[in-house]
Amino acid sequence: MKRIAVFCGSSTGSSPIYMDAARELGKELARRKIGLVYGGSSIGLMGSIASAVLENGGAVTGVLPQFLENKEIAYKGLTELITVQSMHERKAKMTELADGFITLPGGAGTMEEFFEIFTWAQLGLHQKPCGILNTNHYYDPLVNLINHMADAEFLQEKYRSIAIVEENPAVMLDRFHTYQPPSIKTYITEKQT
């Protein structure tokens, strides 16, 4: 893997544990010589992971919509900063550049990014691993929701495995190397008994 896209909050969260986990992932990416692709911001968990990668000799590509760059939250000093026109272009560019995706704690925007990439995996638009770094059990409700969707048959059983859930960044990255994507989504027209 050459580059991993990380989705995460532009806030720091309620506990220092979230910042620590972002920094730990950043150090691990740099140690493995895996570049970071992220949203280009200097604040919150986004800024923390970028700083950790850069401080440990790694490469960081930020993808930032123009309207956010104008609000002066762009991280200065990245390896590369790509400016795009919209949030849609941002996600498309991050997907294009990345060999896998990791979701750290974040809010509604982070969830929107995660679910889009998860959906694209179901549809076969990519076959890249998707991880959830479950720091401090932040994503337990999301994992429960994914399981509930499968139990209620709104998510095909084979798609439970799309989200690689780990608390340890090194273990997650190890699992990325052995990831086998499920087959492309099939549509069931009638309930099978």
Side-chain angles (χ1 to χ4, degrees):
M1 289 202 168
K2 293 181 181 178
R3 292 186 279 204
I4 298 286
V6 173
F7 307 128
C8 60
S10 59
S11 297
T12 58
S14 61
S15 168
I17 196 167
Y18 300 119
M19 295 277 281
D20 293 344
R23 293 191 60 76
E24 182 182 346
L25 175 58
K27 289 176 189 174
E28 189 64 24
L29 290 172
R31 188 182 75 74
R32 294 180 187 226
K33 300 190 182 337
I34 299 172
L36 169 66
V37 176
Y38 86 117
S41 177
S42 62
I43 58 176
L45 298 189
M46 294 173 76
S48 293
I49 190 169
S51 292
V53 172
L54 292 169
E55 289 164 8
N56 288 278
V60 179
T61 300
V63 183
L64 190 67
Q66 181 70 45
F67 77 93
L68 289 178
E69 185 178 38
N70 292 339
K71 293 184 181 202
E72 300 182 330
I73 60 171
Y75 196 121
K76 306 299 182 201
L78 297 178
T79 309
E80 179 181 23
L81 180 63
I82 299 170
T83 303
V84 295
Q85 294 304 308
S86 69
M87 297 295 279
H88 295 294
E89 285 181 62
R90 176 198 237 176
K91 288 181 291 182
K93 179 54 87 174
M94 290 175 72
T95 302
E96 173 192 325
L97 294 173
D99 300 309
F101 309 91
I102 297 177
T103 302
L104 274 61
T110 302
M111 290 295 81
E112 188 268 336
E113 291 167 329
F114 167 77
F115 274 113
E116 183 160 26
I117 215 67
F118 186 96
T119 302
W120 289 0
Q122 288 181 98
L123 298 173
L125 298 176
H126 73 81
Q127 296 188 318
K128 303 170 185 180
C130 302
I132 296 173
L133 193 63
N134 195 17
T135 303
N136 201 30
H137 301 281
Y138 181 81
Y139 280 121
D140 284 355
L142 175 60
V143 173
N144 290 336
L145 176 61
I146 291 168
N147 288 327
H148 177 67
M149 288 188 291
D151 292 343
E153 298 180 5
F154 285 102
L155 178 72
Q156 291 178 23
E157 182 63 34
K158 62 187 173 185
Y159 296 126
R160 285 187 206 242
S161 67
I162 288 176
I164 298 170
V165 182
E166 289 291 343
E167 294 179 35
N168 182 298
V171 173
M172 176 175 291
L173 291 171
D174 288 343
R175 289 185 63 192
F176 271 32
H177 288 290
T178 60
Y179 175 72
Q180 294 294 317
S183 58
I184 297 172
K185 184 174 182 176
T186 54
Y187 293 89
I188 302 170
T189 56
E190 59 185 62
K191 190 165 180 90
Q192 299 178 2
T193 57

